[in-house]
Amino acid sequence: MNKLLKSKIAALGALLLCIIVLILTFTIRKEQWWMFIDIFFIFMAIFSHLMALTVEKLNVPASRKLDTFSFWLLVMGVLAFIGEAIALQFFN
């Protein structure tokens, strides 16, 4: 599992998957601006992790801070996804 987390190719694949999900679900999400919040947080988490992997050899403390930031963005993305699901139940 640790090798998968340190793989730049896996992080790039996750970033591309996030972009594909955004494109495929755009027609559903365009009703309200807040429906993009979960995708934004998840995209930023993946991007921050990819940048942490990129600068790891140059600056280890910055890489750790980016990974911590990435973790909290992922947590907020999951919470936003749950919040959107609950909100959609009440508004539809």
Side-chain angles (χ1 to χ4, degrees):
M1 184 71 173
N2 196 18
K3 279 189 170 185
L4 186 62
L5 286 176
K6 296 291 181 180
S7 171
K8 288 182 188 177
I9 294 174
L12 189 59
L15 190 66
L16 290 174
L17 182 66
C18 184
I19 292 170
I20 290 169
V21 167
L22 174 65
I23 292 169
L24 292 176
T25 62
F26 187 78
T27 57
I28 299 169
R29 296 173 185 272
K30 71 178 182 179
E31 294 176 17
Q32 299 288 330
W33 65 268
W34 51 266
M35 297 175 92
F36 289 99
I37 292 175
D38 61 339
I39 278 291
F40 169 75
F41 281 132
I42 292 170
F43 176 84
M44 287 303 297
I46 296 168
F47 183 77
S48 297
H49 179 65
L50 184 61
M51 289 302 108
L53 292 175
T54 303
V55 301
E56 187 174 24
K57 291 185 180 182
L58 300 172
N59 195 347
V60 175
S63 175
R64 275 192 238 123
K65 283 186 182 183
L66 277 170
D67 267 337
T68 303
F69 183 64
S70 174
F71 171 74
W72 287 111
L73 282 170
L74 186 63
V75 168
M76 289 191 302
V78 169
L79 291 175
F81 181 77
I82 293 169
E84 282 182 28
I86 292 170
L88 284 174
Q89 293 296 320
F90 288 115
F91 288 127
N92 285 335

